[in-house]
Amino acid sequence: MTFVPKDWLPQDDELGGKTILVTGAGDGIGRAAALSFARHGAEVLLLGRTEAKLEAVYDDIVAEGGQQPGIIPADLAQTSHDDLMALAAELSKSLAKLDGLLHNASILGDRKALAQTSAAKWHESMQVNVNAPFMLTQAVLPLLEQAPMASVLFTSSSVGRRGRAFWGSYAVSKFATEGLMQVWADELGGIGSVRVNSLNPGAVNTAMRRAAYPAEPPDTNPEPAALMATWVYLMSDASSGLNGQALNAQG
Ligand code: NAP
């Protein structure tokens, strides 16, 4: 967590006045991030594939006194460019700007040797983990450009920085995520108000981690909520100097 200044603590209204879209907001890290952004004053837009989970997060945010969130049910495995352009057009009717975009939703895909990975599973991982974040960023870019300081955060992984056997399409999709982040950052950084970075959460106790490491005691790893100061920092204007960085939340 070296990039977060040692003495930095978010103010209660650190994200006040900001609207932040979170993908995969129904569970795990995305759920914790949405709750944390709302606790710090943001209006959050909850995008995910399981509407009941988004509604539960909505209820939690409202029960805590947060701003009423938006719910965007969408299965990123199925969404087309047209769907995402239509979503952005719909958002533009009620939003003057978008201050933050957390690309968090991902799937593990086949945890197999590449030699055994099915082409269908490969395409699905690339669709959810890479194609959808590319298309969504492109679709909402005009809204991001209306914000005085917007932050786009891609979610990476250690296997997206150093390939590892049997991580297949997931690892390759995370390498692509880093590439996507770098190209957006180089195109947008310095000429406007949109900054783009990637964050590797490290090991976190979520459904994805438990599926990837079934033999590992779940309490080996921190809960998502324990790490959220880093996500808040990256959505806050406090991190406005960061662009094009591949960051680590732990270690
Ligand atoms: P998780 O518990 O599996 O949560 C992923 C969220 O993404 C879920 O809410 C899921 O929806 C949603 N999602 C998956 N496929 C989707 C789709 N097709 N359309 C829309 N939403 C979809 O995973 P997590 O551990 O919180 O992971 C969050 C991010 O951190 C991912 O990018 C992951 O690669 C990264 N990461 C996690 C770890 C870790 O140790 N946990 C380590 C490194 C990187 P449902 O709830 O409906 O399934």
Side-chain angles (χ1 to χ4, degrees), residues 56-227:
V57 179
Y58 175 106
D59 289 344
D60 288 346
I61 289 173
V62 172
E64 288 185 6
Q67 278 195 67
Q68 193 176 348
I71 290 187
I72 307 171
D75 180 351
L76 296 175
Q78 308 294 334
T79 46
S80 65
H81 187 254
D82 284 352
D83 295 335
L84 293 170
M85 293 303 285
L87 167 65
E90 199 54 38
L91 291 176
S92 302
K93 291 181 189 166
S94 53
L95 293 180
K97 62 178 176 56
L98 184 65
D99 304 272
L101 173 57
L102 172 59
H103 290 295
N104 163 81
S106 278
I107 52 172
L108 263 182
D110 263 350
R111 285 278 274 108
K112 289 182 178 168
L114 286 173
Q116 269 85 48
T117 296
S118 82
K121 289 279 189 188
W122 175 277
H123 284 301
E124 190 186 7
S125 302
M126 292 302 163
Q127 169 64 24
V128 176
N129 300 0
V130 184
N131 300 344
F134 157 66
M135 293 187 291
L136 180 59
T137 310
Q138 192 187 64
V140 300
L141 188 58
L143 275 171
L144 289 163
E145 287 176 330
Q146 292 306 311
M149 274 188 205
S151 173
V152 177
L153 186 58
F154 287 92
T155 306
S156 187
S157 168
S158 54
V159 295
R161 293 176 182 168
R162 172 79 202 160
R164 213 183 302 157
F166 314 122
W167 283 84
S169 58
Y170 177 80
V172 177
S173 75
K174 293 297 183 179
F175 271 89
T177 297
E178 297 286 3
L180 195 54
M181 176 280 285
Q182 287 181 19
V183 176
W184 276 124
D186 205 35
E187 287 177 1
L188 300 176
I191 57 162
S193 52
V194 184
R195 66 189 186 282
V196 187
N197 296 286
S198 70
L199 182 64
N200 166 22
V204 186
N205 184 15
T206 66
M208 182 185 282
R209 176 72 191 189
R210 294 189 294 274
Y213 293 87
E216 180 182 72
D219 61 6
T220 309
N221 302 309
E223 294 300 317
L227 302 171

